[in-house]
Every structure is written in C-alpha cells, then in structure tokens.
Amino acid sequence: MEALIRKANKEDLHCLREFLARANLGTDGLTDETVGYFLLLEDEEGSLKGTLGMEVIEDFGLLRSLVVSPGQAEKEIFVLFDQMVQLANERGVKSIYLATNKSTALTLFDLLGFQRIGRGDLPLPFYHLEHIRHVLNVDNSLFLKLSI
C-alpha cells in the first residue's frame, strides 16, 4: 500500500484536530495560519494515518504533534521527517528542535541527524511557549536540534 505525504491546508483543519485529539495531543495553536506547517500521511483512500507539525518562531522550528497510526512503516516516518526538513528549508528555518520524553525514540532521531542539547540551549523565544514551559516541567524530557 502506497502512502502519500502532503502539506495540510485549511480544509484539513477539522480532520487534523480530530486525529490529534484521538492521540491525546493538544490542538492549541492549530489555526488557518499554522496548518500549512503540518504534513499529513495518508493512505491510498485518503485516510489520515499520520502527521507531523512544526511551530515556527523567527528562523527556528519546533516539531510538534508527531502521530503515526499503528502499522505505519518506519520508512514512512523517515520520509515524513525528510519532507518536514524540506518544508522548513522553504520557509527559511535554520534549525529544527524537538522535545521528547521517550528515550526509545533517540535512536530514530540520531539516524535523522538530531543532536541532543541542554535545556538552556534552546532559542530564547521558545521559553515563552506554553508547550516548552510544560516540557521543562517533565523530569525526563530531552531536547534535540537539527541544523539545516
């Protein structure tokens, strides 16, 4: 079965919000203006099977909302990240950051070229984001950076 990855648009907002809600992820900040920073992974029938979003501040990107339905191939996750790097490049983003509390995901992020950074090494504007403030309160959270 062939998967398709495409950039989300305003018509996808409702479906994307529902998909994220089912995965117990917040949809704050997902608006008509920001939906273009989300990629959708769909099957041949157009059913949503995964997503990856990015919040952009100045020339920094913060990855958000990686959700992939069970059964999706690792290859598709790599392609999702690769497409996000291309989107970030198009939008003039110089570095992509992510936060995780899942140490099992570190191997994947290593393979993708992310480097682990300290909590104090984030771009200053990130410390004003509610998402980052929340993550900073999670004991086992880690931050990673990819320079593009």
Side-chain angles (χ1 to χ4, degrees):
M1 178 153 77
E2 193 63 33
L4 167 76
I5 296 174
R6 66 177 178 85
K7 201 172 2 174
N9 58 50
K10 292 175 187 177
E11 289 75 36
D12 299 311
L13 262 176
H14 179 72
C15 181
L16 184 54
R17 281 192 180 118
E18 283 184 349
F19 188 75
L20 292 173
R22 280 197 305 273
N24 294 318
L25 291 180
T27 57
D28 294 348
L30 180 53
T31 65
D32 285 356
E33 291 76 41
T34 62
V35 72
Y37 287 98
F38 277 78
L39 295 175
L40 305 179
L41 173 67
E42 298 175 327
D43 65 14
E44 290 168 329
E45 288 84 42
S47 297
L48 189 54
K49 296 295 179 186
T51 186
L52 177 60
M54 179 173 53
E55 196 167 340
V56 176
I57 298 167
E58 295 174 11
D59 56 357
F60 307 110
L62 176 64
L63 294 184
R64 302 273 315 263
S65 311
L66 171 61
V67 180
V68 182
S69 298
Q72 295 311 122
E74 246 179 55
K75 178 190 85 167
E76 293 167 338
I77 297 170
F78 279 104
V79 174
L80 204 53
F81 272 91
D82 186 55
Q83 294 284 320
M84 183 56 78
V85 170
Q86 288 182 34
L87 177 61
N89 243 333
E90 289 169 17
R91 302 288 170 95
V93 171
K94 305 282 186 262
S95 305
I96 299 175
Y97 296 80
L98 66 85
T100 185
N101 61 356
K102 296 181 177 45
S103 55
T104 54
L106 291 178
T107 305
L108 168 69
F109 297 132
D110 263 357
L111 289 170
L112 292 165
F114 281 85
Q115 306 285 318
R116 201 165 156 181
I117 61 170
R119 290 170 171 250
D121 297 328
L122 294 168
L124 285 177
F126 280 19
Y127 294 99
H128 301 290
L129 298 174
E130 188 178 323
H131 174 66
I132 291 295
R133 288 197 304 264
H134 172 74
V135 172
L136 287 168
N137 289 322
V138 176
D139 287 341
N140 60 343
S141 61
L142 304 167
F143 293 95
L144 299 115
K145 174 184 178 182
L146 175 70
S147 298
I148 54 176

